[in-house]
Amino acid sequence: MTHAYTPGLRLSEKLQIRKNRNLPLPGDVIVKKGDTVKSDDIVARTNLPGKVHSVNVVNRLAILPTDLRKNMLKKEGDSVVKDEPIAETSPFIKMFKSICLSPITGIIESISDITGQVLLREPPKPVQITAYVDGKVVETIEKEGVVIETSATFIQGIFGIGGETTGELQIIVNSPDDIVKPDDINETHRGKIIACGSIIYSDAIKKAIDTGVKGIVVGGIRDKEINELLGYDLGVAITGSEDINITIIITEGFGQIGMAQKTFDMLKKREGSVASINGATQIRAGVVRPEIIIPYDDEETSGKSDKNESTADEESAGISIGDQVRIIRNPNFGVLGKVKDLPSELQTIETEAMARVLEVEFPDGQTAIVPRANIEAIEE
Amino acid sequence: MAEILNVIVATDCGSTTTKAILIEKRGDEYRQTYRGEAPTTVEAPFEDVTRGVLNAFAELEELSGRKILDGEKIITPAQENTGVDIYISTSSAGGGLQMMVAGAVKTMSAQSAQKAALGAGAIVMDVIASNDKRLPHEKIERIRDLRPDMILLSGGTDGGTVSHVVELAEFIGAANPRPRLGMTFQLPVIYAGNKEARDRVSDVLKDKTALRITDNLRPLLEMENLGPARLEIQNLFLEHVMAHAPGYKKLMSWTGVPIMPTPGAVGEMIQAIARKDNINVVGVDIGGATTDVFSVFDGIFNRTVSANFGMSYSISNVIAETGIENIIRWLPFEIDEADIRNRIKNKMIRPTTIPQLLEDLILEHAIAREALRLSFVQHKALAVGLKGVQKLKDMSESFDRVTEEETLIKMNNLDLIVGSGGVLSHAPRRSQAMMMMIDAFQPQGITMIAVDSIFMMPHLGVLSTINEKAATEVFEKDCLIYLGPCVSLTNSGKFGSHCLDCVITYSDGKRTEDSLSLGEIKVFELKEGEKAKVEISPANKFDLGEGKGKELVKEVVGGVVGLVIDARGRPLNLDGIKGKEPMEKVLSEWNNAFDAYPTLPFYEKL
């Protein structure tokens, strides 16, 4: 049968995490298995093929495509520098000579005597992959990348923008329901990842960017702020490559929603540690949620037993009475509660749709019937 | 092929769910009898599509009492309560078939290539053309960045341009794109262009790509030949794309006929139904991420996919494209714009949630209207006659260059609209689905509206390739739910002016008379399968497709909602009504005519 509920976001105080750090194209892995790495250490590098430029040489020289090769000064594979002649005509009268110059520095990729086109390629662009998290190299995949393992606090957000970044974690509000104001952000937050309360508005985001804050973790955000920040209306939740000089992760949803107390407490406990965060979100089959990884350093982990650690790959097992859940749709959106009952029969809800439901009990003792599709398990 | 087909099991492996149905021959007719489903298992941790298929079979076995599996083997042939005669399947898991097409001229060979790819069931990620105004390096980067599953290259009529086609091949070669699946494999490229450029194209691409050459899809300006390219796409889909997707090799060994891309199969079904009754059909499948529109007009099949119009993953994109005001105009209550935006974004990030409040349901229905409308606009723009063909035109026609004129979709000649996808098939009241489709497609004249009850068109599409009779029988008896005929004006006039009188004579002799003013829509009782004669006399300036002021007399067959007479005018102009009546009042009158929603406090105020 299909899942009757939405698998929840992972929230774990201590988790064994493995991160694959792969190159976009085959290249060189420069660390060995067993090496200890810091988040900004380079672990693999490669070269991306350079941009291709085309020059229609036959048009430039006013010749026929079939005559192209005999007028070329360079052949396929030759190196050229910008403005270097790559082809010229050899007329009887020299003053009628036409020359075609290279628009770039690079190599001649191909010469076509059908289209009269010469393709030139810029030099390759080096790409480096960092470790992203502090940890240990547990596997190297030749030419492709490495796997890094770390023991860390792991928190999944619901949505984010901006890519990978690292910085010291600092909580700048007193409670998960607070609203962060621009004045709460100052020079001491430069290079840090700040955790806020229930919502952040444009003025505070702007102040954070201007101050050099690397990342923001917050309960909710309005759609308006995301639009302003990106300069366009986000159509599909595929993010992570935005060039906005900051990474923002929301933990609950859109609008003002207090950060779940447990998430807030966990962040508070790890305040001062270096966190690796990534806003990349992909809501399609093979969902990717934003993440906050706060590795433990050796001192923090030494002497502690790892017996109770879970792994990020563990599968969630259904939902049962007594489990903590979060309601993820109106009414009561964002409210946490406990599963009181799991009736098996379909029930008619307000829309008249027949749905599988469950009964949720809130901390004040009130209860509500909610479609199972509209709750999220709080995963540990 | 198995000559006697009494028991057929079919699956559709979607991105999230694998749906299995059992079709059995009972007496002389084929009927869909049981249905089971399970989560698709293409992705980690399973990475084997067959696990999901076996789970769906297990549910079918449980419900039907028929033993289908012997361990992990399908039992064939069927004997009494054991086994099946054939297993067939479609697939859209892993994002379906993603293609890029290229052609010499954007509105000619490139457009024909686009039609061929869409018709085969692909999502077209981009159309590269020699005249698309992009610089060569921009085209090359685009080809490299998109990482399609395959590329279809066309261009030039036979004997026509060679250099433009070879130039495009050079761009593809320079980009040296890698396929999305299977890093180490070569990207499949189909060449279906000028046959005189074959050798040259082959020289450029044969070492860098897995090149296939097939017949030119535009051999003459006046002629498209899309069949061979479509067939080659579906073959390569199996050989390259599917073969590299987890578990598909095993799945392919189980099926009696090749696995088809899901939208390709739906297209087959739509064509089969149009062929059978010799009618013009529009089909739509509105999903979470994409909306597919299919049409068959005068035997010509077209399909488009609006890759980013959907009801969950892409819901926010519908707003981005249409504008929030176009959503609000369908809401019969006031709501803060920021609130709507946040609600929609929350649906986008938690796509599996369902509306619990009536207000949320009405909001989703408003968005569905716009997603369907926009997808249909895109479809009409692509379903056009061949460009570049010389036509004799008189003086008045030469000034008449409206796109509407070029599209093959003539609403007045449309006989049937079939809707499928969660928001239509699972609307709590069938009348809601009918309203959404009428508002989005705005049919003219007489059009039957239907929904696919449980989304079995893909299964039936593959079945139609081996047994068209079985497929169309099940389609009509178990798949389609006829909502009812809709009779609409084809033009418009002054809001509130008297526009038509109607007489409905039922088969038992009972008569109903009524008259409607512009802006009104009414639903008359006419049960599923029941016949009635409608006589509608439009006022002088109004037209029901027979000519201005001309009476329409037809026999119609009813559906579960009834007979709809839509006197709101075409095109439906909500902005025009806004200044004359409060929109909330007008919308609630329309909703009440359909008895579309239950009465709730915010509604009673209206």
Side-chain angles (χ1 to χ4, degrees):
Chain A
M1 290 295 290
T2 47
H3 283 293
Y5 70 97
T6 309
L9 303 173
R10 288 307 293 254
L11 191 65
S12 185
E13 199 171 335
K14 196 171 186 197
L15 193 67
Q16 204 66 25
I17 296 166
R18 284 178 164 230
K19 294 301 290 180
N20 289 326
R21 308 296 293 159
N22 290 339
L23 289 164
L25 283 177
D28 301 319
V29 173
I30 55 173
V31 287
K32 313 184 293 298
K33 189 176 172 179
D35 284 358
T36 301
V37 287
K38 285 281 175 199
S39 60
D40 50 4
D41 288 350
I42 291 157
V43 293
R45 61 166 69 106
T46 188
N47 290 313
L48 287 183
K51 266 189 187 172
V52 176
H53 295 252
S54 78
V55 184
N56 200 307
V57 177
V58 292
N59 287 352
R60 297 267 182 98
L61 302 185
I63 57 172
L64 291 170
T66 43
D67 295 333
L68 176 61
R69 283 190 189 270
K70 58 182 182 210
N71 288 286
M72 285 296 295
L73 301 170
K74 302 275 178 183
K75 57 185 189 309
E76 276 121 332
D78 283 358
S79 298
V80 288
V81 291
K82 191 172 188 299
D83 294 333
E84 184 183 350
I86 54 170
E88 64 180 24
T89 53
S90 359
F92 287 117
I93 306 162
K94 274 195 175 167
M95 67 180 287
F96 291 132
K97 182 156 100 176
S98 304
I99 300 174
C100 181
L101 305 179
S102 169
I104 57 151
T105 296
I107 60 156
I108 303 280
E109 169 109 351
S110 70
I111 300 165
S112 172
D113 46 17
I114 302 288
T115 60
Q117 187 165 243
V118 172
L119 297 177
L120 301 103
R121 193 180 286 277
E122 284 182 8
K125 214 167 90 186
V127 175
Q128 296 173 331
I129 299 289
T130 63
Y132 171 52
V133 289
D134 296 356
K136 196 179 245 187
V137 178
V138 290
E139 196 183 337
T140 58
I141 307 145
E142 205 191 337
K143 296 186 186 303
E144 285 184 24
V146 299
V147 180
I148 299 187
E149 190 175 85
T150 187
S151 181
T153 299
F154 182 71
I155 298 168
Q156 268 184 332
I158 189 73
F159 174 78
I161 48 172
E164 293 175 348
T165 189
T166 52
E168 187 190 317
L169 180 68
Q170 190 155 357
I171 318 294
I172 62 164
V173 287
N174 295 319
S175 98
D177 296 319
D178 284 355
I179 299 173
V180 68
K181 294 179 286 298
D183 291 347
D184 298 333
I185 300 164
N186 56 49
E187 261 310 302
T188 63
H189 299 126
R190 177 181 296 278
K192 292 188 177 167
I193 290 162
I194 57 170
C196 311
S198 57
I199 193 163
I200 188 164
Y201 295 113
S202 293
D203 49 359
I205 296 172
K206 187 173 182 307
K207 178 77 179 287
I209 294 172
D210 293 347
T211 310
V213 169
K214 284 184 157 180
I216 297 171
V217 181
V218 65
I221 197 165
R222 291 187 305 178
D223 170 56
K224 187 168 172 273
E225 267 72 34
I226 298 280
N227 283 359
E228 279 177 18
L229 201 56
L230 299 179
Y232 56 87
D233 196 350
L234 188 76
V236 185
I238 296 175
T239 65
S241 57
E242 299 75 20
D243 190 12
I244 48 170
N245 294 322
I246 199 159
T247 295
I248 300 179
I249 295 179
I250 59 168
T251 58
E252 315 300 315
F254 284 86
Q256 183 179 348
I257 317 162
M259 186 184 286
Q261 188 70 45
K262 203 168 175 181
T263 312
F264 188 79
D265 292 345
M266 219 173 258
L267 290 169
K268 188 91 190 160
K269 203 169 168 190
R270 300 301 316 274
E271 188 170 13
S273 302
V274 173
S276 299
I277 68 169
N278 186 359
T281 310
Q282 230 185 87
I283 304 170
R284 283 281 161 107
V287 63
V288 175
R289 294 284 185 188
E291 62 188 14
I292 302 155
I293 299 171
I294 317 165
Y296 288 95
D297 59 31
D298 291 343
E299 284 165 28
E300 284 174 291
T301 50
S302 64
K304 285 184 186 173
S305 163
D306 281 353
K307 271 182 191 164
N308 294 326
E309 280 186 21
S310 44
T311 67
D313 296 333
E314 276 175 18
E315 262 192 88
S316 55
I319 202 158
S320 23
I321 292 171
D323 283 356
Q324 275 275 335
V325 292
R326 182 192 339 240
I327 297 177
I328 53 173
R329 182 110 191 204
N330 283 335
N332 301 316
F333 178 53
V335 180
L336 299 180
K338 266 188 184 161
V339 178
K340 194 180 172 198
D341 193 16
L342 286 162
S344 56
E345 311 79 42
L346 297 177
Q347 285 193 21
T348 307
I349 56 172
E350 185 186 305
T351 58
E352 295 184 336
M354 297 286 285
R356 293 194 80 190
V357 297
L358 49 71
E359 190 178 4
V360 180
E361 184 176 359
F362 302 119
D364 62 2
Q366 302 252 10
T367 61
I369 298 288
V370 185
R372 292 193 192 185
N374 293 356
I375 60 108
E376 197 169 73
I378 307 277
E379 309 257 341
E380 307 224 0
Chain B
M1 190 56 19
E3 326 32 35
I4 305 162
L5 295 179
N6 289 324
V7 185
I8 301 152
V9 66
T11 55
D12 172 47
C13 307
S15 297
T16 48
T17 315
T18 297
K19 290 145 283 207
I21 60 167
L22 195 66
I23 293 168
E24 295 174 87
K25 194 169 186 185
R26 298 223 164 139
D28 271 348
E29 59 177 22
Y30 288 93
R31 298 301 296 257
Q32 184 263 324
T33 48
Y34 295 95
R35 176 176 184 267
E37 63 177 48
T40 297
T41 49
V42 172
E43 309 210 12
F46 306 104
E47 293 186 339
D48 180 356
V49 71
T50 59
R51 293 274 300 273
V53 171
L54 293 173
N55 290 342
F57 282 169
E59 197 170 305
L60 266 188
E61 285 184 324
E62 208 175 293
L63 294 169
S64 65
R66 173 174 291 278
K67 189 169 163 51
I68 301 171
L69 294 168
D70 177 13
E72 291 199 353
K73 203 170 160 275
I74 299 169
I75 304 165
T76 50
Q79 280 170 345
E80 297 195 349
N81 223 12
T82 308
V84 295
D85 292 315
I86 193 168
Y87 166 51
I88 53 180
S89 188
T90 58
S91 172
S92 60
L97 169 60
Q98 302 185 4
M99 286 185 68
M100 189 167 214
V101 303
V105 182
K106 201 170 178 183
T107 53
M108 294 189 215
S109 52
Q111 192 173 69
S112 297
Q114 191 182 2
K115 286 186 196 172
L118 286 164
I123 287 173
V124 175
M125 304 165 88
D126 202 352
V127 181
I128 304 275
S130 303
N131 67 338
D132 67 10
K133 297 196 176 139
R134 282 180 281 192
L135 295 170
H137 76 267
E138 290 172 328
K139 290 177 192 171
I140 294 166
E141 267 171 50
R142 184 80 179 143
I143 299 167
R144 193 170 64 198
D145 292 346
L146 277 183
R147 298 189 64 186
D149 290 323
M150 69 176 84
I151 295 178
L152 172 61
L153 170 63
S154 66
T157 52
D158 282 341
T161 178
V162 170
S163 63
H164 286 94
V165 187
V166 176
E167 185 183 68
L168 288 167
E170 285 169 1
F171 293 155
I172 295 170
N176 200 10
R178 289 173 308 143
R180 191 167 56 107
L181 301 167
M183 255 177 108
T184 50
F185 299 97
Q186 285 187 321
L187 181 83
V189 175
I190 298 167
Y191 176 65
N194 181 2
K195 63 183 180 191
E196 281 166 28
R198 282 179 183 174
D199 292 344
R200 296 292 190 168
V201 169
S202 181
D203 289 345
V204 178
L205 291 177
K206 71 173 188 294
D207 296 332
K208 290 183 173 173
T209 64
L211 181 69
R212 289 284 179 88
I213 292 174
T214 184
D215 293 351
N216 191 353
L217 52 80
R218 193 77 185 260
L220 300 168
L221 273 182
E222 301 79 10
M223 190 181 136
E224 265 178 351
N225 178 29
L226 307 182
R230 272 185 193 154
L231 197 65
E232 202 57 54
I233 292 168
Q234 294 191 342
N235 289 341
L236 281 173
F237 172 70
L238 287 172
E239 285 171 36
H240 283 253
V241 186
M242 286 288 91
H244 298 150
Y248 276 86
K249 262 189 188 150
K250 203 196 302 179
L251 189 69
M252 284 193 274
S253 71
W254 290 356
T255 57
V257 289
I259 300 169
M260 283 177 90
T262 304
V266 176
E268 289 293 336
M269 193 61 237
I270 298 276
Q271 289 180 81
I273 213 74
R275 233 178 357 248
K276 180 178 164 283
D277 295 333
N278 193 23
I279 53 173
N280 295 327
V281 185
V282 164
V284 64
D285 174 24
I286 178 165
T290 61
T291 297
D292 280 36
V293 182
F294 307 84
S295 69
V296 182
F297 269 80
D298 301 326
I300 300 173
F301 170 68
N302 274 291
R303 171 198 172 232
T304 50
V305 52
S306 299
N308 279 325
F309 293 147
M311 289 307 296
S312 57
Y313 303 106
S314 317
I315 193 166
S316 186
N317 199 56
V318 180
I319 321 297
E321 286 290 321
T322 191
I324 194 85
E325 59 289 348
N326 277 345
I327 303 295
I328 292 176
R329 66 186 180 148
W330 293 109
L331 299 178
F333 48 82
E334 275 190 26
I335 184 168
D336 179 40
E337 184 187 315
D339 186 15
I340 297 185
R341 285 184 176 278
N342 287 338
R343 285 186 200 207
I344 291 165
K345 285 283 191 299
N346 280 321
K347 169 82 178 184
M348 173 183 80
I349 58 174
R350 290 182 167 107
T352 54
T353 59
I354 59 170
Q356 186 179 358
L357 298 176
L358 185 57
E359 209 178 65
D360 270 1
L361 179 78
I362 295 172
L363 175 61
E364 285 201 4
H365 287 175
I367 298 165
R369 282 174 169 85
E370 286 302 304
L372 292 169
R373 184 181 68 81
L374 292 172
S375 305
F376 196 43
V377 168
Q378 289 186 351
H379 184 80
K380 283 196 269 192
L382 192 79
V384 290
L386 297 182
K387 298 264 174 69
V389 179
Q390 279 197 336
K391 286 179 193 157
L392 285 177
K393 286 185 176 179
D394 66 24
M395 202 55 167
S396 65
E397 279 178 320
S398 11
F399 292 103
D400 219 6
R401 293 184 55 207
V402 192
T403 324
E404 193 72 15
E405 295 294 308
E406 295 166 359
T407 181
L408 301 172
I409 312 296
K410 305 288 181 206
M411 294 308 287
N412 197 19
N413 298 335
L414 176 59
D415 301 295
L416 173 66
I417 302 176
V418 183
S420 81
V423 72
L424 296 174
S425 298
H426 300 146
R429 294 188 185 183
R430 294 285 183 203
S431 54
Q432 294 162 359
M434 187 160 191
M435 278 195 89
M436 281 185 264
M437 285 198 274
I438 294 174
D439 290 345
F441 294 108
Q442 300 187 27
Q444 299 176 10
I446 300 182
T447 315
M448 175 56 91
I449 317 280
V451 288
D452 174 359
S453 59
I454 55 163
F455 195 56
M456 60 169 115
M457 279 203 279
H459 312 79
L460 300 181
V462 201
L463 181 59
S464 75
T465 62
I466 49 171
N467 190 335
E468 193 161 319
K469 179 180 172 284
T472 48
E473 263 179 31
V474 177
F475 184 75
E476 283 173 354
K477 293 194 182 102
D478 300 311
C479 172
L480 274 200
I481 293 175
Y482 290 100
L483 302 178
C486 173
V487 187
S488 310
L489 290 174
T490 63
N491 63 351
S492 196
K494 196 176 156 206
F495 181 75
S497 60
H498 167 253
C499 67
L500 61 87
D501 297 302
C502 62
V503 180
I504 303 160
T505 312
Y506 294 89
S507 44
D508 61 2
K510 200 180 95 188
R511 273 166 64 95
T512 299
E513 289 181 25
D514 210 334
S515 68
L516 281 81
S517 303
L518 195 97
E520 278 189 295
I521 186 165
K522 288 192 177 174
V523 183
F524 298 88
E525 202 182 315
L526 187 61
K527 292 196 181 67
E528 199 175 1
E530 191 185 354
K531 289 180 180 167
K533 187 169 105 176
V534 289
E535 295 161 81
I536 308 179
S537 312
N540 277 346
K541 290 177 185 164
F542 292 100
D543 187 354
L544 287 157
E546 304 286 306
K548 281 184 183 171
K550 290 200 175 144
E551 191 187 28
L552 172 93
V553 182
K554 281 264 164 72
E555 188 182 70
V556 291
V557 183
V560 295
V561 176
L563 162 68
V564 175
I565 299 185
D566 185 355
R568 298 176 301 171
R570 295 289 183 262
L572 182 54
N573 180 7
L574 269 68
D575 294 333
I577 301 170
K578 219 187 264 175
K580 295 167 182 103
E581 284 272 5
M583 261 337 272
E584 289 87 351
K585 181 172 173 279
V586 175
L587 289 170
S588 42
E589 277 170 8
W590 294 349
N591 288 338
N592 289 341
F594 279 81
D595 189 24
Y597 297 100
T599 312
L600 275 182
F602 72 83
Y603 228 62
E604 280 168 349
K605 280 188 285 176
L606 301 170

